[in-house]
Amino acid sequence: MKIAFIGLGNMGGGMAANLVKAGHAVRAFDLSAEAVAKAAEQGCTTFATVSEAVEGVDAVVTMLPNGAIVRSVYTAEVFGHAPEGALFLDCSTIDLETAREVVVLAQAAGYEMADAPVSGGIAAANGGTLTFMVGGSDAVFERAKAVLEPMAKAVIHAGETGAGQVAKMCNNMLLAIHMIGTCEALALAQKAGLDPQTFYEISSKATGYCWSLNDYTPMPGVGASSPADNGYAGGFASALMLKDLRLAMAGADTSGATVPMGEHATKIYEAFVEAGNGGKDFGAIFTTL
């Protein structure tokens, strides 16, 4: 297929490269000249504008920072430039209202579209092992799978339009809560006189089992390898976790859900990011304890 990929940042660059590896003709665009140059090295054909990149394609994949940019890119530069009937997949993590709005606009313009946010981080984006949560009709999901599978370990149909964004915000709220609890438990074990590695060996095989402990241990030199072993560089930035938590809080307000732990996690990450730690991996919350 001919696939336009818009947004070649930390996540999008690796995703586009995996589409090339799968044999697709990838037409790439980003505002960053460095990201565009890297995409060209990985086999993408690059363009100076979004509207040029989407000409004649079968599908458009976007990986963009926020809902306002997603709306602007599609309405100003994709609609009317991509051929009618093209499939649009927005893999950005954005607010639910905008995600649904852009799909309605796309359909009115003669296109099919799904929200398809991802879980897995930079390593998974590079390795083609992301999990995609897709919101859209059964027919759109079937079309989406052919585009998403080369970038994924799992492509899951979450439900109708917007369901992918709901799944993403709930998943990352849960992840933030787990991470804070994992950091607290490791710090408490150490301060109470238990070797942290011994605690890891016990809890990772007991009811404390969770991904943040078992697979992404946030204490340097303990358990699984993670950004903690590299000064909390790389991984999933705390500023991005805060963004996702704020989206979850907005979703909770809209739906009337009660999320006291989510609210508390948001406050913790807000304080951490405001203290200048937004670029550190979200497991660096451990350093506050």
Side-chain angles (χ1 to χ4, degrees):
M1 286 184 285
K2 289 184 180 179
I3 302 171
F5 203 108
I6 314 302
L8 304 167
N10 290 333
M11 296 290 290
M15 293 165 68
N18 282 316
L19 288 173
V20 172
K21 291 174 186 176
H24 298 301
V26 179
R27 300 164 62 89
F29 172 84
D30 195 277
L31 292 173
S32 164
E34 181 180 353
V36 169
K38 186 174 180 180
E41 292 173 1
Q42 293 172 328
C44 298
T45 304
T46 60
F47 294 85
T49 66
V50 172
S51 56
E52 290 175 309
V54 302
E55 289 180 2
V57 299
D58 302 296
V60 176
V61 179
T62 47
M63 194 66 165
L64 300 167
N66 59 55
I69 294 174
V70 169
R71 184 193 294 108
S72 175
V73 165
Y74 276 100
T75 57
E77 301 182 77
V78 177
F79 297 168
H81 297 280
E84 189 171 342
L87 174 66
F88 300 158
L89 299 172
D90 182 38
C91 298
S92 319
T93 298
I94 63 173
D95 63 284
L96 181 57
E97 181 180 357
T98 300
R100 287 173 171 163
E101 175 193 350
V102 175
V103 170
V104 169
L105 293 172
Q107 291 170 339
Y111 303 100
E112 290 188 318
M113 185 172 186
D115 54 295
V118 305
S119 177
I122 297 170
N126 292 334
T129 57
L130 293 167
T131 295
F132 288 85
M133 299 155 260
V134 184
S137 68
D138 290 343
V140 170
F141 176 68
E142 289 304 314
R143 288 187 68 188
K145 284 197 297 184
V147 178
L148 300 177
E149 283 176 345
M151 303 180 282
K153 69 175 179 182
V155 180
I156 301 169
H157 192 192
E160 293 300 318
T161 298
Q165 295 295 347
V166 174
K168 177 63 184 287
M169 71 182 184
C170 293
N171 180 79
N172 277 25
M173 182 182 75
L174 182 60
L175 175 59
I177 294 167
H178 279 177
M179 179 55 79
I180 294 167
T182 297
C183 291
E184 290 183 354
L186 284 163
L188 173 60
Q190 183 179 48
K191 291 184 178 184
L194 177 63
D195 176 64
Q197 181 64 35
T198 300
F199 171 71
Y200 169 85
E201 296 296 337
I202 294 168
S203 193
S204 65
K205 298 176 180 64
T207 52
Y209 173 101
C210 67
W211 183 84
S212 295
L213 176 66
N214 285 55
D215 301 313
Y216 206 83
T217 318
M219 186 175 186
V222 175
S225 177
S226 79
D229 301 308
N230 188 36
Y232 297 100
F236 183 50
S238 294
L240 294 178
M241 176 56 85
L242 177 58
K243 170 198 167 185
D244 290 357
L245 283 166
R246 285 172 170 165
L247 290 174
M249 295 308 98
D253 288 342
T254 301
S255 62
T258 302
V259 288
M261 292 298 292
E263 290 174 355
H264 192 50
T266 302
K267 291 176 182 177
I268 290 172
Y269 275 101
E270 281 177 341
F272 190 62
V273 170
E274 288 168 4
N277 299 301
K280 295 180 180 178
D281 178 72
F282 79 112
I285 283 291
F286 178 79
T287 63
T288 67
L289 302 171

